[in-house]
Amino acid sequence: MRKRHVLAWLLCAALLAGCQGRPEEMATVVDPISQEALSQDLREALEEEWEAWNALSEERQILSSHVPGWCQRGFEDWAACEDFLGFSVPNPLEESGWLEKGTYVAMPLGFRDAPRVDLQWDGTEEGYVDWVSAGAGYRAGGTRVMISALLYGDPSKARLSDRDWTLDLGKQAADGVLHVIPENTERYCSRTAYLVRDGVLYCVHIIGEPDGKTDVEETLERALEAFSENPE
């Protein structure tokens, strides 16, 4: 599932972002990651990633579909993910009694050995972390519930321009507009909401049966209530 999670974020954000703001404007909305707060374990994993990339021949690097500096780790719960990250990222759904914990893509636990919580991040060879994405999944009956928390480093040091799409989306969400993307197909019905809390850009993604529009919308509303109970 290499980079699919992050690419899905970027695709959804690109559909919504009508224009891109300047980096200095974005920084006031989504708080920059404190590089000093990042754990030594995360830093060492990034260093190992670059060492593995540099060990490849030039030919293998050219043929590889992997983006150098991109890292991924799985965890058994949100707290373990925070410990590895080095600081707390609030997730109001983690302790919700009405949700059953699933894999990070909201499939039943044990499905294809997928982890409960997924952490992805990207950084430079010098050790600068540009972005971090933490995601977890839950189930409400047959409805899938996924949450992702996206954090950024200093926009002026960004390595990939794609990050501006989600930053622009975060700016709009922080202005009081909760973006919800509806999608209905022959295979599923989904709703995806974006919101900013405490300087973090959150994505809440709900997937249900094709004829389950009411269940999907009610589940999304209930999931978002958890954020209102934990205001900025």
Side-chain angles (χ1 to χ4, degrees), residues 91-101 138-141 222-223 226 229:
N91 175 2
L93 301 186
E94 182 70 1
E95 301 304 326
S96 294
W98 62 280
L99 289 172
E100 174 188 353
K101 291 180 172 62
Y138 312 87
R139 298 178 66 82
R222 193 171 184 184
E229 294 168 2

Side-chain angles (χ1 to χ4, degrees), residues 53-131:
W53 174 259
N54 290 328
L56 298 176
S57 65
E58 182 177 356
E59 180 181 8
R60 292 188 63 186
Q61 288 182 352
I62 293 174
L63 295 175
S64 175
S65 61
H66 181 69
V67 177
W70 177 78
C71 306
Q72 182 178 29
R73 291 289 187 278
F75 302 91
E76 62 182 13
D77 56 37
W78 193 265
C81 177
E82 290 179 314
D83 288 342
F84 181 84
L85 180 58
F87 53 86
S88 175
V89 179
N91 175 2
L93 301 186
E94 182 70 1
E95 301 304 326
S96 294
W98 62 280
L99 289 172
E100 174 188 353
K101 291 180 172 62
T103 69
Y104 76 99
V105 291
M107 295 300 287
L109 291 176
F111 181 77
R112 296 186 178 179
D113 295 323
R116 263 229 60 235
V117 178
D118 177 68
L119 180 69
Q120 301 181 30
W121 70 100
D122 180 85
T124 68
E125 189 169 1
E126 293 72 31
Y128 181 81
V129 176
D130 184 32
W131 57 259

Side-chain angles (χ1 to χ4, degrees), residues 190-210:
S190 74
R191 297 292 183 271
T192 305
Y194 293 88
L195 66 157
V196 173
R197 288 292 185 276
D198 298 326
V200 179
L201 178 59
Y202 289 92
C203 171
V204 179
H205 186 47
I206 314 295
I207 302 177
E209 296 297 326

Side-chain angles (χ1 to χ4, degrees), residues 35 38 42-43 46-47 50 123-130:
Q35 300 291 314
L38 293 167
L42 185 144
R43 293 175 180 278
L46 177 60
E47 182 179 350
W50 276 103
T124 68
E125 189 169 1
E126 293 72 31
Y128 181 81
V129 176
D130 184 32

